[in-house]
Amino acid sequence: MPKTTPVPVPIPATLHPEGVSNDEFRAAMSRLAAGVCLITAHEPPLTPTGPDGEDVGMTATAFMSVSLDPPLVLVSLREGSRMDDLLAEQPLWAVSVLADHQVQVASRFSMKNRISDRLLFADLPHGRGEVSGAPLLTGALATLECRTENRVEAGDHTLVIGRVLTATLPSPDSPPLAYFRGRYRHLAG
């Protein structure tokens, strides 16, 4: 069988002043494998006598450890997103690091233009963080409860740095869910 050489995919050039286009940047960054997390928070009721408030969740791949002492993590939120707006007012939030069997959870919470998260949590096995009050997924590789320490504007995103208040390992031996080249992936063991 003849050996073929891959042909580079042409990328349209709408250049920033720095010289890189959105498409070039997106294509390059899609080659960086990332873990997948569910970021959650509990939105308090609008009035003291109103309904209980609502749980809010979003899928994130831009999440990382920042510091061991003190324990800090960082999540990147699209500026003006519901989670960005909520965490600007609500300092407590949580993270569930997703296992490979939780791909449907990742897909569910990455849907755009949804009206309410109430239905997304309805049949999802989860507990509630004792410190944050936010949902923590049953079967996650790890869960963290955090308090916002700092918010940094970065282009069209907000970098939220949180101090880790609790950490648990509900399902530490499950394989992780990964995101690579625009798709959720399972890692070979």
Side-chain angles (χ1 to χ4, degrees):
M1 189 179 268
K3 192 171 189 169
T4 59
T5 305
V7 177
V9 177
I11 299 173
T14 348
L15 298 179
H16 289 275
E18 296 81 13
V20 67
S21 74
N22 287 350
D23 291 338
E24 289 169 329
F25 180 67
R26 190 175 292 117
M29 296 314 300
S30 76
R31 273 46 178 194
L32 177 64
V36 184
C37 299
L38 179 65
I39 309 299
T40 58
H42 185 75
E43 184 173 36
L46 295 174
T47 62
T49 58
D52 291 339
E54 186 171 356
D55 293 325
V56 177
M58 63 160 268
T59 302
T61 56
F63 176 80
M64 64 182 281
S65 168
V66 174
S67 168
L68 182 60
D69 187 16
L72 299 174
V73 293
L74 177 147
V75 64
S76 179
L77 306 174
R78 186 176 34 81
E79 187 179 279
S81 67
R82 184 168 183 202
M83 187 63 74
D84 183 36
D85 292 344
L86 177 56
L87 294 190
E89 297 177 17
Q90 162 61 283
L92 297 173
W93 46 284
V95 180
S96 295
V97 179
L98 300 184
D100 73 345
H101 67 274
Q102 294 174 311
V103 67
Q104 289 180 330
V105 173
S107 296
R108 178 186 291 199
F109 284 92
S110 64
M111 291 186 301
K112 296 193 185 325
N113 302 321
R114 58 186 191 263
I115 296 170
S116 168
D117 287 0
R118 188 177 314 261
L119 294 175
L120 300 180
F121 283 105
D123 63 346
L124 194 59
H126 67 280
R128 195 160 293 284
E130 289 183 26
V131 176
S132 66
L136 297 170
L137 291 187
T138 304
L141 295 177
T143 61
L144 308 167
E145 290 183 275
C146 305
R147 181 185 63 239
T148 299
E149 292 275 311
N150 200 1
R151 293 172 54 87
V152 179
E153 290 181 21
D156 58 1
H157 277 65
T158 303
L159 306 178
V160 178
I161 299 168
R163 182 180 294 252
V164 177
L165 305 173
T166 69
T168 62
L169 305 173
S171 243
D173 296 326
S174 296
L177 181 60
Y179 191 74
F180 181 70
R181 293 183 69 180
R183 292 183 33 213
Y184 297 114
R185 309 286 179 144
H186 303 283
L187 298 182

